Amino acid sequence: MPDVLASFINLIPVTIAQSLIVAFVVLGVMIPFRLLGFPDLTSEGAYPLGGCVTGVLIASGYDPVFAMAVAACAGFLAGSTTAFIHLRFGINTLLAGILVMTMLYSINLRIMGRTNIALFTFDSLFKDINPENFNDPWFKIAVVGTLIAVILAALYYLLVTERGTTIRAVGASPDMAEAQGVSIWSATIFGVGSASLFTALGGGIMVQSQGFADVNMGFGILINGLAALIIGEAITGRKTVLRQLLAPIAGALAYYQLVSLCLSLGLAPADLKLATGLFVLIMLALPALRRGGNVPQLREKIRE
Amino acid sequence: MLEVKGAARTFYAGTSDERRALAGIDLTLNEGDFCVVIGSNGAGKSSLLNAVAGKLKLDHGSILIDGVDVTRLPVHRRARFISRVFQDPMLGTAPTMTVAENMLLADLRGKTPRLVPGLTAERQAVYRDRLAILNLGLEDRLDAPVGLLSGGQRQSLSLIMAVSNSPRLLLLDEHTAALDPKTAATVMDATIRTIAEFGLTVLMVTHNMSHALECGNRLIMMDSGHFQLQVATPEKDTLTVPDLIERFHVKSDRMLLQA
Ligand SMILES: Nc1ncnc2c1ncn2[C@@H]1O[C@H](COP(=O)(O)OP(=O)(O)OP(=O)(O)O)[C@@H](O)[C@H]1O
Ligand SMILES: [Mg+2]
């Protein structure tokens, strides 16, 4: 037992660093689901897209920050494509997301030209800032933590401005928003685009942290993101914009510690996706099982 | 002010299900007109309002507001001229947003939203005053999510939202139909008072015959996409409910019941 505990405690910093990076993805899952009423699966493709673009550019000698900026733009494009497919052709948001995610797999392969690239020998955001100690988890925590804090602060400011309020209105009630003069098109394209931008950024940071990019790195990331979001919302609640914005980061931190604990207690890594899937399923099913419980709900009124 | 010229819209054209919602309608509203639209179910009343609001595309015809052709403008671009209260209390407000945020959205109608904080203290004070008119205590619940309000409270809020900012044209589609008689009367009262106060131009659909006779200076009766009858004051003032029912062969039970 002490062994188990020791290995779990040893892993805490590494796990925190990892969760902070994945928090970008959870943010990218939360924004369409919660703020725009647009359940979106693009993340599963936008995350490796961000990783592949960043990886290829860094391996070609570009500056890591420039590489991440390009990755973020690529992510925005992916998300806004999903939004466009839904808006223009009236295709269900989930199906639009699956279409984009599937097409992105080929695109990601094309971008990299192979299934993975090793980046250990190249420049990275972390090496740029601290060449000596770039692999120290606490250092990574500081860098990524600062970045996400700045992004969350900016997002919070945006969401309570006049424009941000109109964007949230589209998610809360499209009919009402439209009648108040809000363009559903621009709010949705901007919102879903931004969400995938954050997801791709997460992918771009992750490849620099782990030292390689892989086209398959997105597999299952969406369910991880959802699981983290559900846990986060159980912690922070959803009553205010601020709480809703803090849910992804709180959720990512809690979720990955939970996973790490399960693994050190002997859960086989192979069973991890099954366990995560069952967890999400139970959380989604709970409200139906016991009516009136205040379990965070993901199944809500959804745009057709 | 509002001109509807030859507005026509047919659903499922060329099939056995063909439905003529609007069969080439002409309507002109002058500044300050309060026009009531009645007619049996499926007569095309909502279609008329939806066409004016931009929610319903026309097959033929055009719509002008203040002389500007808006026929091709989408709903959100027409919002700078038009505000509306829906029949369904759930549609007109954003349930997960607070009362104050909903008021803010109405306040921003027709303006370009800026990147500055939305709910300032001054604005909240203004909204508190506006809501106080209703006497429903909403002024003390600015931070409550609208989803927690009753249907009547939500509909009253929709009304205040719709008339804030003095829209050029106000569209009301059976906006008291979903409410209990007492609340309906309160909301209708507030409607009539605010319309008079701001001198708004209004197009209002109702199934309530006495409202139709008491309110407004013009009355239109629709039937299968046509205007079956149009009267204006002073002639309108002489009409009575039995008049309407007998003279114009209204056979809607719902109207009789509500008369
Ligand atoms: N989206 C739609 N698709 C198909 N048919 C429609 C649609 N909207 C309206 N219609 C048809 O157009 C006709 C007019 O409908 P409309 O809703 O304008 O009637 P109404 O006068 O508002 O009736 P009510 O008093 O019941 O509200 C009806 O025959 C209706 O079935
Ligand atoms: Mg109707």
Side-chain angles (χ1 to χ4, degrees):
Chain A
M1 197 61 193
D3 272 5
V4 171
L5 212 60
S7 80
F8 168 66
I9 289 170
N10 276 336
L11 279 173
I12 285 181
V14 180
T15 311
I16 294 179
Q18 186 197 8
S19 1
L20 286 175
I21 300 175
V22 180
F24 284 90
V25 183
V26 187
L27 187 63
V29 172
M30 184 279 282
I31 291 173
F33 262 95
R34 290 308 194 199
L35 300 180
L36 296 163
F38 188 114
D40 180 31
L41 303 180
T42 318
S43 304
E44 193 96 1
Y47 178 70
L49 173 69
C52 293
V53 170
T54 308
V56 164
L57 287 177
I58 288 180
S60 320
Y62 286 95
D63 182 71
V65 175
F66 171 77
M68 285 189 292
V70 176
C73 294
F76 185 90
L77 207 64
S80 47
T81 303
T82 304
F84 177 82
I85 291 175
H86 166 70
L87 292 165
R88 178 64 185 82
F89 308 113
I91 293 172
N92 175 296
T93 64
L94 295 172
L95 187 52
I98 291 176
L99 284 171
V100 169
M101 165 186 125
T102 307
M103 294 188 287
L104 277 176
Y105 186 80
S106 297
I107 293 173
N108 291 340
L109 259 177
R110 280 285 176 193
I111 290 173
M112 292 225 297
R114 58 203 129 140
T115 54
N116 56 55
I117 304 182
L119 297 169
F120 302 103
T121 53
F122 297 99
D123 225 5
S124 83
L125 175 68
F126 303 107
K127 283 185 206 167
D128 270 3
I129 302 174
N130 187 346
E132 263 86 78
N133 224 354
F134 63 88
N135 234 347
D136 175 28
W138 290 107
F139 164 67
K140 286 184 183 172
I141 291 171
V143 173
V144 184
T146 311
L147 194 58
I148 198 151
V150 169
I151 287 177
L152 286 180
L155 264 180
Y156 179 68
Y157 178 80
L158 171 75
L159 286 173
V160 297
T161 60
E162 294 181 359
R163 184 165 288 277
T165 309
T166 63
I167 293 173
R168 283 188 290 133
V170 170
S173 168
D175 283 310
M176 179 269 192
E178 200 181 24
Q180 305 301 345
V182 183
S183 163
I184 291 181
W185 272 69
S186 33
T188 306
I189 288 192
F190 173 78
V192 179
S194 308
S196 289
L197 179 152
F198 294 128
T199 304
L201 195 57
I205 300 173
M206 186 57 97
V207 295
Q208 299 177 69
S209 170
Q210 67 190 14
F212 64 92
D214 189 315
V215 281
N216 291 314
M217 66 191 263
F219 187 69
I221 192 77
L222 188 97
I223 285 299
N224 286 338
L226 272 181
L229 181 61
I230 292 173
I231 295 178
E233 289 177 347
I235 298 171
T236 65
R238 305 178 44 204
K239 284 236 162 61
T240 63
V241 178
L242 186 63
R243 284 166 180 274
Q244 183 68 74
L245 273 181
L246 290 177
I249 190 161
L253 288 169
Y255 172 69
Y256 281 97
Q257 293 299 342
L258 198 66
V259 170
S260 158
L261 184 64
C262 290
L263 290 176
S264 54
L265 285 175
L267 178 76
D271 297 334
L272 195 56
K273 284 195 168 51
L274 179 65
T276 307
L278 284 176
F279 170 75
V280 173
L281 177 62
I282 290 168
M283 292 307 272
L284 293 181
L286 267 186
L289 293 179
R290 46 155 225 213
R291 293 253 164 254
N294 53 354
V295 178
Q297 275 202 38
L298 276 172
R299 299 175 312 163
E300 295 199 319
K301 213 187 77 200
I302 278 167
R303 291 201 233 166
E304 37 346 297
Chain B
M1 202 259 106
L2 171 72
E3 284 173 85
V4 178
K5 295 183 191 164
R9 173 66 197 256
T10 307
F11 288 102
Y12 315 118
T15 71
S16 57
D17 278 335
E18 188 168 289
R19 291 250 159 71
R20 269 185 144 192
L22 297 173
I25 276 172
D26 295 300
L27 171 68
T28 305
L29 290 189
N30 298 315
E31 190 89 46
D33 269 351
F34 183 167
C35 179
V36 181
V37 184
I38 56 174
S40 49
N41 294 123
K45 306 177 298 295
S46 298
S47 301
L48 173 63
L49 263 62
N50 284 335
V52 171
K55 196 85 191 166
L56 181 72
K57 299 254 173 313
L58 294 178
D59 297 333
H60 304 286
S62 56
I63 292 168
L64 284 75
I65 297 175
D66 291 330
V68 181
D69 190 335
V70 298
T71 317
R72 292 183 178 283
L73 288 190
V75 176
H76 72 273
R77 298 275 303 278
R78 294 190 203 186
R80 75 177 63 236
F81 313 105
I82 297 175
S83 72
R84 67 187 307 192
V85 180
F86 296 89
Q87 173 174 353
D88 182 353
M90 303 304 155
L91 284 184
T93 46
T96 51
M97 298 177 84
T98 66
V99 172
E101 285 173 330
N102 274 271
M103 291 291 286
L104 172 64
L105 287 163
D107 210 0
L108 295 172
R109 184 185 337 106
K111 298 178 190 151
T112 308
R114 295 166 301 164
L115 283 176
V116 299
L119 274 182
T120 57
E122 300 96 86
R123 275 196 169 130
Q124 303 214 35
V126 172
Y127 301 159
R128 206 166 279 131
D129 289 346
R130 282 188 193 157
L131 289 168
I133 304 173
L134 288 172
N135 265 329
L136 289 173
L138 288 182
E139 63 275 16
D140 301 321
R141 300 181 66 183
L142 281 185
D143 293 324
V146 168
L148 296 183
L149 306 182
S150 73
Q153 289 170 329
R154 284 180 78 161
Q155 204 64 337
S156 310
L157 174 63
S158 299
L159 180 73
I160 294 295
M161 287 166 58
V163 298
S164 67
N165 261 358
S166 308
R168 295 289 292 144
L169 177 64
L170 174 63
L171 303 177
L172 305 170
D173 191 353
E174 300 187 52
H175 69 299
T176 60
L179 310 177
D180 71 75
K182 188 166 161 285
T183 320
T186 318
V187 173
M188 200 59 206
D189 247 29
T191 309
I192 295 169
R193 265 189 292 133
T194 40
I195 289 172
E197 190 178 324
F198 296 103
L200 299 174
T201 312
V202 186
L203 201 52
M204 176 175 94
V205 174
T206 180
H207 278 291
N208 184 316
M209 296 296 249
S210 33
H211 283 165
L213 292 177
E214 282 158 24
C215 305
N217 62 332
R218 297 178 56 179
L219 178 66
I220 291 174
M221 184 185 288
M222 285 190 76
D223 183 42
S224 45
H226 292 280
F227 288 170
Q228 196 184 11
L229 161 78
Q230 290 200 59
V231 282
T233 45
E235 196 198 333
K236 177 174 181 293
D237 298 335
T238 65
L239 289 177
T240 61
V241 174
D243 270 352
L244 274 185
I245 292 163
E246 276 171 48
R247 282 171 53 191
F248 307 108
H249 314 291
V250 182
K251 292 198 184 72
S252 162
D253 291 343
R254 193 163 155 209
M255 286 188 180
L256 281 168
L257 282 175
Q258 291 198 355

